Amino acid sequence: MAYGSFSQFIAALEKSDELKRIRLPVATELEITEIADREMKAPGGGKALLFEKPTIDGRVSDFPLAINTMGSQRRMAMALGLPSIDELAHEMQLILKAKPPTGLREAWTLLRQGIDLLHARPRHVSDGPCKEVVHRFSASDKSDRSDRSDEAAFSLENLPVLKCWPKDGGRFITLPNVHTRDPETGERNVGMYRMQIYDAQTTGMHWQVHKVGARHGKRYYERGERMPVAVTLGGDPAMTFAATAPLPDGLDEVLLAGFIRKKSVDLVKCETVDLEVPADADFVLEGYVQPGEMRPEGPFGDHTGFYTALDDYPVFHLTAITRRKEAVYPATIVGIPPMEDFYMGSASVRIFLPVFRMNFPEIVDMALPAEGVFHNMVFVSIRKQYPWQAYKIMHGLWGMGQMMFSKYIIVVDDDCDVHNTSEVLFRLCANTDPQRDSTFVKNPSDALDHAPTFPNMGSHMGMDATRKLAGEGYTRQWPELLKMDPAVKERVDAILAASCT
Ligand SMILES: Cc1cc2nc3c(=O)[nH]c(=O)nc-3n(C[C@H](O)[C@H](O)[C@H](O)COP(=O)(O)O)c2cc1C
Ligand SMILES: [Mn+2]
């Protein structure tokens, strides 16, 4: 099911008792963070919050602010219009394994998927709600849309953008979908890269060196051409999720969003740049990045739980803002885990597990525990068949897209639940001889990892916590894990049930 707008999604959350309204004025400077942080740390991720009166320097904003809208398993599934994330993972698996149907039932299933895939393709439309109000900034290309207000006074300063943590270098847009295009192939990319507000019409553009936005930028810089960039805020949350998904370079996030929500994304041309954006967005920030122009960005209280230091990043200059009349500003905060982004990352892992399993059929399950903030720690369970198979999996993962950042990979047997950190640690402690069962490699590091001596590169460690095989040089008998007799369990269940009534 697709949402027609971000507001529709918020209404659905409210109907499902997944939303709290905060009616009193609350400051965008730190106060919203403190409330949201407490909510995100509540069991299961708390509720989504709608701040009806966020204040900017004491003045009530024209726009409400929604936060933590995807910050639980249930809300993440709702954002994608699904009863559960596993349903989408299952569909991915069917598509990957598609072969000629053996029966009518299967044929129907495949046909339905074919239709869903058709829906993945975007539709091009000539207008949309994201243009209900148009604000252009350059006097030279005055609007021909005389029917719509064109107040030049409107700017980024009208948006309830958060100053998240006390030592942040300013306000940051934290949930932006950044649309760019490869100037050589025309391929589109949508990535989520935070934006620091420098002034009313200028922001930072924090695409890290490994990300596709940065690669597109490099192509423009090589050509010495100005790079068109459009940023959307709000709209169907399926698009926002897709912008965070670790897709291979060249795989279009707009297609993924269409596939997830089973409805084409409507794309509309921007007013001042040659790009197309989802027509249902709440806000569209149009503009450009000038090759070679860099500016210090940060500090920012980051998802590592630490402040990321100042670093040079490209600068985004706005040429227009278009928006809905009744726009809602979407935000998140990052910080010491668990935060909202944990649920977004977990959904990605679930949805792409079938892709990993296609490459590595022995993989049973995989989890990125919240404490590892995505890149620091991976738990993976395998059905081990031959010696040193755990190492094949580690190296395989280190070679796949953003999994390259995984600082620690712990491999366990298939009977270990990787979503239960204490179970994984139990296996790690019990099943490893530290020197024998670990390996170190050199690989690119996440740009935010402050621990390595040099930025963007560091060592990664793999630990094989599986049972050791004779073929691996282990000649003693591997002991058996304790397990209660199932018949006893059943009897005890009955005894306890009877004694409770
Ligand atoms: C809330 C949130 C904020 C993020 N901020 C950034 C950021 O500032 N810079 C960045 O490079 N990646 C950031 N990411 C991660 C990217 O969105 C993610 O790696 C994505 O897959 C990149 O897409 P791409 O492969 O198309 O570049 C953020 C993710 C989330 C969920
Ligand atoms: Mn991408």
Side-chain angles (χ1 to χ4, degrees):
M1 190 198 86
Y3 297 101
S5 66
F6 187 46
S7 299
Q8 253 183 37
F9 170 51
I10 292 169
L13 290 176
E14 187 157 40
K15 217 171 134 199
S16 310
D17 196 24
E18 285 286 340
L19 183 94
K20 282 190 207 163
R21 283 177 183 270
I22 287 127
R23 297 196 161 89
L24 290 174
V26 182
T28 53
E29 306 87 16
L30 309 183
E31 286 182 3
I32 289 184
T33 297
E34 181 56 24
I35 296 177
D37 188 34
R38 291 183 195 191
E39 195 65 34
M40 290 179 195
K41 301 273 190 293
K47 302 218 168 162
L49 303 175
L50 184 67
F51 289 89
E52 294 184 352
K53 291 184 184 139
T55 65
I56 313 165
D57 296 327
R59 164 175 58 82
V60 174
S61 166
D62 293 335
F63 307 100
L65 177 150
I67 194 165
N68 204 24
T69 57
M70 291 181 269
S72 75
Q73 274 188 27
R74 183 177 185 213
R75 289 198 298 283
M76 189 61 248
M78 282 180 72
L80 305 186
L82 300 164
S84 94
I85 298 291
D86 286 331
E87 190 160 300
L88 188 59
H90 182 65
E91 274 178 29
M92 291 288 270
Q93 192 159 357
L94 285 177
I95 287 166
L96 290 170
K97 293 207 165 144
K99 46 182 193 280
T102 53
L104 197 60
R105 222 183 122 99
E106 233 180 272
W108 275 116
T109 310
L110 275 176
L111 194 66
R112 191 170 57 82
Q113 260 128 38
I115 292 167
D116 290 349
L117 279 178
L118 270 183
H119 281 148
R121 260 184 302 165
R123 262 186 358 148
H124 301 273
V125 298
S126 59
D127 203 353
C130 72
K131 290 179 190 286
E132 282 169 2
V133 187
V134 177
H135 311 278
R136 288 166 183 262
F137 296 142
S138 50
S140 54
D141 53 14
K142 251 304 185 207
S143 176
D144 50 2
R145 294 168 170 274
S146 47
D147 55 326
R148 310 193 186 188
S149 74
D150 201 358
E151 329 143 45
F154 191 87
S155 78
L156 289 172
E157 286 167 355
N158 294 74
L159 305 188
V161 181
L162 298 181
K163 179 183 176 191
C164 301
W165 295 100
K167 296 194 173 159
D168 279 3
R171 297 176 186 274
F172 288 80
I173 301 177
T174 49
L175 219 49
N177 304 330
V178 180
H179 302 248
T180 58
R181 214 176 36 217
D182 183 327
E184 285 168 8
T185 63
E187 273 168 3
R188 173 180 27 237
N189 191 69
V190 193
M192 179 165 292
Y193 319 116
R194 71 167 183 245
M195 294 155 64
Q196 179 174 1
I197 308 286
Y198 291 137
D199 61 46
Q201 294 173 17
T202 322
T203 78
M205 186 47 82
H206 189 259
W207 47 53
Q208 295 151 9
V209 60
H210 309 104
K211 306 299 170 73
V212 178
R215 189 184 68 71
H216 284 182
K218 196 151 182 290
R219 294 286 109 84
Y220 283 94
Y221 309 161
E222 286 162 1
R223 296 164 154 240
E225 286 171 19
R226 188 176 258 206
M227 175 185 195
V229 178
V231 178
T232 57
L233 304 172
D236 189 328
M239 186 68 245
T240 306
F241 168 76
T244 70
L247 297 184
D249 191 350
L251 230 159
D252 186 352
E253 284 82 3
V254 174
L255 287 185
L256 177 66
F259 170 69
I260 290 173
R261 62 186 218 139
K262 299 185 172 53
K263 187 169 182 226
S264 292
V265 174
D266 284 350
L267 291 179
V268 64
K269 275 193 189 335
C270 287
E271 298 291 307
T272 57
V273 289
D274 185 18
L275 287 170
E276 288 185 309
V277 290
D280 68 354
D282 287 59
F283 297 93
V284 185
L285 316 180
E286 303 183 5
Y288 63 90
V289 164
Q290 189 67 34
E293 185 186 7
M294 304 284 264
R295 185 167 164 174
E297 197 263 6
F300 178 65
D302 227 313
H303 81 143
T304 55
F306 292 84
Y307 285 103
T308 307
L310 274 179
D311 198 3
D312 281 345
Y313 272 89
V315 181
F316 176 59
H317 298 274
L318 271 80
T319 49
I321 297 180
T322 77
R323 62 174 177 91
R324 286 176 179 266
K325 274 202 184 98
E326 306 289 328
V328 179
Y329 177 79
T332 192
I333 53 160
V334 294
I336 295 173
M339 286 289 197
E340 179 175 11
D341 58 350
F342 167 69
Y343 295 95
M344 302 165 79
S346 301
S348 275
V349 175
R350 277 234 97 40
I351 294 166
F352 295 112
L353 190 60
V355 180
F356 287 113
R357 289 170 66 167
M358 204 172 63
N359 282 300
F360 308 110
E362 61 270 60
I363 290 185
V364 175
D365 205 354
M366 195 154 92
L368 275 54
E371 295 81 357
V373 297
F374 307 121
H375 54 266
N376 285 344
M377 192 160 265
V378 177
F379 299 156
V380 54
S381 59
I382 64 168
R383 197 158 294 146
K384 187 160 104 175
Q385 192 184 336
Y386 50 80
W388 285 15
Q389 198 165 358
Y391 296 97
K392 182 196 86 167
I393 294 304
M394 296 170 198
H395 295 297
L397 293 179
W398 280 321
M400 281 184 90
Q402 294 183 44
M403 292 302 288
M404 69 177 154
F405 302 131
S406 309
K407 192 143 82 165
Y408 296 97
I409 300 182
I410 299 174
V411 186
V412 292
D413 288 307
D414 57 329
D415 60 347
C416 174
D417 176 8
V418 292
H419 302 283
N420 182 341
T421 297
S422 104
E423 210 179 313
V424 175
L425 290 181
F426 165 64
R427 299 294 179 110
L428 175 72
C429 297
N431 283 354
T432 55
D433 171 292
Q435 188 164 31
R436 182 196 64 200
D437 294 327
S438 59
T439 190
F440 290 93
V441 299
K442 294 175 175 175
N443 229 29
S445 288
D446 189 278
L448 300 181
D449 190 347
H450 60 265
T453 310
F454 301 104
N456 300 321
M457 55 206 246
S459 71
H460 297 339
M461 185 181 193
M463 284 178 272
D464 173 6
T466 61
R467 283 178 207 98
K468 302 304 169 300
L469 307 174
E472 292 174 317
Y474 188 87
T475 52
R476 291 188 285 152
Q477 177 79 29
W478 196 267
E480 199 181 330
L481 193 64
L482 306 189
K483 212 171 172 189
M484 185 43 73
D485 186 348
V488 173
K489 283 187 168 234
E490 239 175 75
R491 272 204 308 279
V492 167
D493 283 344
I495 293 168
L496 291 179
S499 69
C500 286
T501 51

